[in-house]
């Protein structure tokens, strides 16, 4: 026998059993996004590799070692998208959407060739938001409040907010030089990665999780001492807005984010319940990116949240989930089986929203009831010879208490409407 082909390492099936939780998260996220007037955008999973190099930055984990890049048949270098922002920016430029402010959201799979572990996969899923054309800080506050509303909708209470500012490009350049000078003075304490990054992406050194580096990082100069008047006012406005909304946060001057394109506001939502992979949602402002990718200069702010990490959190305290099927139609005997699909269609017409599974493939009473039970439906609808003659259906509760009731077919949709 030949060996079974398996899924690719770090890329997972989502089996039916897991779907209700994913759907609950996605549905609630969508409802929250719509409550703020955000519109959905969908972009291709594959883009020119150049797009990611020019936006995320060549000297980043993503571009150096995590991208799934390949040559198209004509020789173009293409990549599976590792994140959503670059594609979104490309799409709004290409689609001519920058004439007015845009509040957009997306969801879907992202691909990064990382070492798979809990909370870190090679195909993972994000929901993200990108807003174009607003300079903030009011909109920065709005996107953070939106994430808070999402946690509330999901019943999550164990997330905390960290914020920082990266200043403007010029301020960051001065800070960067100062940081390099400082790190040069502590070369012997830097790990290999940080030494490699010292002149290419020194801010990223602050992001190092290497335990031996904690001391060097803690004593490093702070970006907050390098802010000009405007950046300082922006950051103060941002924090004041969060405070006014009753949202507590910690300022973490070492929070720099891994990607090149951020400026000013950055933030992360973090949990202690998922071990090392504790960042559930991360975002910030990227005012220079649209212009850098060839569009008219347009300020922008956004975030992305990792669905696998949210799922992992919610598995610990799952929200109530709706049953996948409300009712299972059992049809016993030839006459009933011949009518079953028609009765089911009639019910779906009469009661939109009804999730009805109709028995297919025949079987005796016992056998069909087993399938009804396995469907997870709380109700069985039973159609037999007698019911056909009387124009009725038996409604039998499959879970918990309740008596079987015979309901005229004409009243059935109304009867079920009160019970689903
Ligand atoms: P990390 O520091 O955990 O590597 P990141 O800074 O690379 O995160 P972002 O690019 O900001 O992550 O992506 C936003 C969110 O997407 C993260 O906060 C996380 O929840 C999720 N995420 C990122 N990479 C992965 C991955 N490989 N597997 C699962 N989720 C991920
Ligand atoms: Mg990463």
């Amino acid at each position: 026998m030949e060996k079974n082909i398996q899924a690719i390492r770090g890329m997972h099936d989502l089996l039916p059993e897991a779907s209700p939780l994913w759907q609950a998260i996605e549905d609630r996220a969508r409802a929250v996004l719509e409550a703020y007037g955000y519109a959905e955008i969908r972009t291709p999973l594959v883009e020119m590799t150049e797009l990611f190099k020019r936006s995320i930055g060549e000297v980043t984990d993503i571009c150096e070692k995590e991208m799934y890049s390949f040559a198209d048949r004509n020789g173009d270098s293409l990549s599976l998208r590792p994140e959503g922002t670059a594609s979104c920016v490309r799409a709004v430029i290409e689609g001519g959407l920058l004439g007015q402010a845009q509040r957009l959201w997306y969801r879907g799979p992202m691909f990064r060739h990382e070492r798979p572990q809990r909370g870190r996969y090679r195909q993972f899923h994000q929901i993200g938001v990108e807003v174009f054309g607003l300079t903030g800080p009011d909109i920065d506050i709005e996107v953070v409040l939106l994430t808070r509303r999402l946690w509330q909708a999901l019943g999550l209470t164990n997330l905390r907010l960290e914020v920082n500012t990266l200043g403007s490009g010029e301020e960051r350049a001065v800070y960067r030089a100062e940081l390099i000078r400082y790190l040069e003075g502590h070369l012997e304490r830097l790990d290999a990665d940080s030494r490699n990054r010292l002149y290419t992406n020194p801010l990223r050194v602050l992001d190092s999780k290497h335990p031996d580096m904690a001391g060097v990082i803690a004593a490093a100069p702070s970006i907050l001492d390098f802010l000009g008047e405007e950046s300082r006012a922006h950051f103060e406005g941002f924090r004041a807005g969060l405070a006014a909304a009753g949202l507590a946060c910690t300022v973490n001057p070492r929070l720099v984010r891994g990607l090149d394109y951020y400026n000013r506001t950055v933030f992360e939502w973090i949990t202690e319940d998922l071990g090392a992979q504790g960042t559930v949602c991360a975002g910030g402002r990227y005012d220079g990116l649209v212009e850098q990718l060839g569009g008219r200069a347009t300020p922008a702010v956004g975030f992305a949240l990792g669905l696998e990490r949210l799922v992992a959190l919610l598995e610990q305290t799952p929200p109530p989930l709706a049953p996948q099927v409300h009712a299972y139609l059992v049809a016993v005997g030839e006459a009933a089986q011949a009518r079953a699909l028609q009765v089911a269609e009639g019910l779906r017409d009469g009661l939109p929203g009804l999730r009805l599974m109709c028995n297919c493939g025949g079987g005796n009473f016992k056998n069909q009831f087993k399938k009804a039970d396995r469907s997870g439906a709380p109700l069985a609808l039973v159609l037999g010879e007698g019911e056909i003659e009387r124009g009725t259906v038996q409604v039998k509760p499959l879970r918990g208490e309740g008596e079987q009731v015979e309901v005229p077919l004409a009243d059935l949709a109304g009867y079920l409407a009160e019970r689903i």
Side-chain angles (χ1 to χ4, degrees), residues 351-374:
L351 183 52
L354 174 68
R355 300 172 177 184
L356 175 64
M357 191 181 278
C358 182
N359 188 76
C360 284
N364 61 23
F365 194 79
K366 192 168 157 214
N367 172 289
Q368 292 195 34
F369 257 91
K370 229 185 236 168
K371 291 201 260 178
D373 205 44
R374 234 178 284 143

Side-chain angles (χ1 to χ4, degrees), residues 310-383:
L310 269 189
V311 167
L313 268 184
L314 285 166
E315 276 169 348
Q316 300 173 0
T317 47
L321 302 172
Q324 294 296 93
V325 185
H326 297 121
Y328 189 98
L329 180 60
V330 167
V332 193
E334 235 167 79
Q337 275 169 24
R339 285 284 307 282
L341 288 174
Q342 216 180 313
V343 168
E345 288 301 302
L347 277 175
R348 295 189 189 101
D349 288 341
L351 183 52
L354 174 68
R355 300 172 177 184
L356 175 64
M357 191 181 278
C358 182
N359 188 76
C360 284
N364 61 23
F365 194 79
K366 192 168 157 214
N367 172 289
Q368 292 195 34
F369 257 91
K370 229 185 236 168
K371 291 201 260 178
D373 205 44
R374 234 178 284 143
S375 76
L379 294 175
L381 309 180
V382 188
L383 199 60

Side-chain angles (χ1 to χ4, degrees), residues 69 126 148 190 207 296 318:
S69 301
Q126 290 184 336
R148 173 176 68 169
L190 302 187
D207 213 22
R296 69 163 92 162

Side-chain angles (χ1 to χ4, degrees), residues 61-62 66 82-83 111-112 114-115 117 119-126 204 207 209 257-259 261-262 268-269 276-283 303-310:
D61 283 349
I62 291 182
E66 295 175 0
E83 51 108 60
F111 303 85
R112 295 184 196 174
E114 303 199 65
R115 191 170 69 76
Q117 52 195 292
R120 197 174 288 289
Y121 309 98
R122 289 182 174 174
Q123 176 175 325
F124 61 99
H125 298 78
Q126 290 184 336
R204 193 63 172 141
D207 213 22
K209 307 278 183 307
R257 310 288 306 120
L259 318 183
Y261 51 60
Y262 287 106
E268 287 191 356
W269 284 98
Q277 269 59 251
T279 303
V280 169
C281 172
F303 68 78
L305 59 86
L307 281 171
E308 280 78 2
R309 293 184 192 179
L310 269 189

Side-chain angles (χ1 to χ4, degrees), residues 57-375:
E58 303 239 19
V59 193
T60 55
D61 283 349
I62 291 182
C63 286
E64 280 179 341
K65 53 190 188 202
E66 295 175 0
M67 271 214 287
Y68 280 93
S69 301
F70 57 95
D72 199 358
R73 287 177 189 277
N74 65 3
D76 288 341
S77 177
L78 308 184
S79 295
L80 300 186
R81 64 181 186 191
E83 51 108 60
T85 302
S87 314
C88 199
V89 171
R90 181 203 49 69
V92 297
I93 296 172
E94 204 172 323
L97 302 186
L98 293 174
Q100 61 186 75
Q102 299 284 345
R103 287 172 164 89
L104 306 175
W105 71 276
Y106 61 83
R107 71 169 163 206
M110 308 293 162
F111 303 85
R112 295 184 196 174
H113 196 278
E114 303 199 65
R115 191 170 69 76
Q117 52 195 292
R118 190 164 98 106
R120 197 174 288 289
Y121 309 98
R122 289 182 174 174
Q123 176 175 325
F124 61 99
H125 298 78
Q126 290 184 336
I127 292 179
V129 150
E130 316 290 354
V131 179
F132 297 98
L134 298 170
T135 49
D138 50 0
I139 187 68
D140 304 14
I141 299 163
E142 178 180 284
V143 298
V144 177
L145 294 182
L146 185 159
T147 54
R148 173 176 68 169
R149 190 170 294 275
L150 178 58
W151 314 145
Q152 286 166 349
L154 293 170
L156 285 173
T157 49
N158 46 1
L159 293 171
R160 65 187 168 79
L161 177 65
E162 288 195 354
V163 302
N164 191 22
T165 178
L166 299 178
S168 68
E170 300 83 68
E171 290 150 13
R172 198 139 56 118
V174 179
Y175 171 65
R176 189 177 179 279
E178 193 60 36
L179 184 62
I180 291 176
R181 226 186 329 273
Y182 166 82
L183 293 171
E184 280 173 337
H186 297 86
L187 267 190
E188 72 295 341
R189 293 168 70 191
L190 302 187
D191 64 352
D193 252 0
S194 299
R195 253 180 247 181
N196 287 338
R197 296 258 157 91
L198 182 50
Y199 299 103
T200 49
N201 196 348
L203 265 68
R204 193 63 172 141
V205 174
L206 301 179
D207 213 22
S208 166
K209 307 278 183 307
H210 206 291
D212 297 351
M213 301 233 339
V216 192
I217 291 173
S222 163
I223 179 78
L224 299 178
D225 297 326
F226 291 79
L227 300 179
E229 210 32 64
E230 267 184 65
S231 291
R232 187 179 304 282
H234 189 111
F235 192 44
E236 275 165 15
F238 174 61
R239 287 169 55 203
L242 297 182
L247 179 49
C249 65
T250 328
V251 177
N252 174 2
R254 319 286 168 219
L255 180 68
V256 291
R257 310 288 306 120
L259 318 183
D260 271 3
Y261 51 60
Y262 287 106
N263 68 298
R264 294 220 164 125
T265 310
V266 287
F267 66 89
E268 287 191 356
W269 284 98
I270 300 166
T271 175
E272 311 305 328
D273 297 347
L274 292 179
Q277 269 59 251
T279 303
V280 169
C281 172
R285 187 159 271 286
Y286 51 96
D287 292 333
L289 184 58
V290 176
E291 192 174 22
Q292 195 179 311
L293 290 178
R296 69 163 92 162
T298 305
V301 58
F303 68 78
L305 59 86
L307 281 171
E308 280 78 2
R309 293 184 192 179
L310 269 189
V311 167
L313 268 184
L314 285 166
E315 276 169 348
Q316 300 173 0
T317 47
L321 302 172
Q324 294 296 93
V325 185
H326 297 121
Y328 189 98
L329 180 60
V330 167
V332 193
E334 235 167 79
Q337 275 169 24
R339 285 284 307 282
L341 288 174
Q342 216 180 313
V343 168
E345 288 301 302
L347 277 175
R348 295 189 189 101
D349 288 341
L351 183 52
L354 174 68
R355 300 172 177 184
L356 175 64
M357 191 181 278
C358 182
N359 188 76
C360 284
N364 61 23
F365 194 79
K366 192 168 157 214
N367 172 289
Q368 292 195 34
F369 257 91
K370 229 185 236 168
K371 291 201 260 178
D373 205 44
R374 234 178 284 143
S375 76

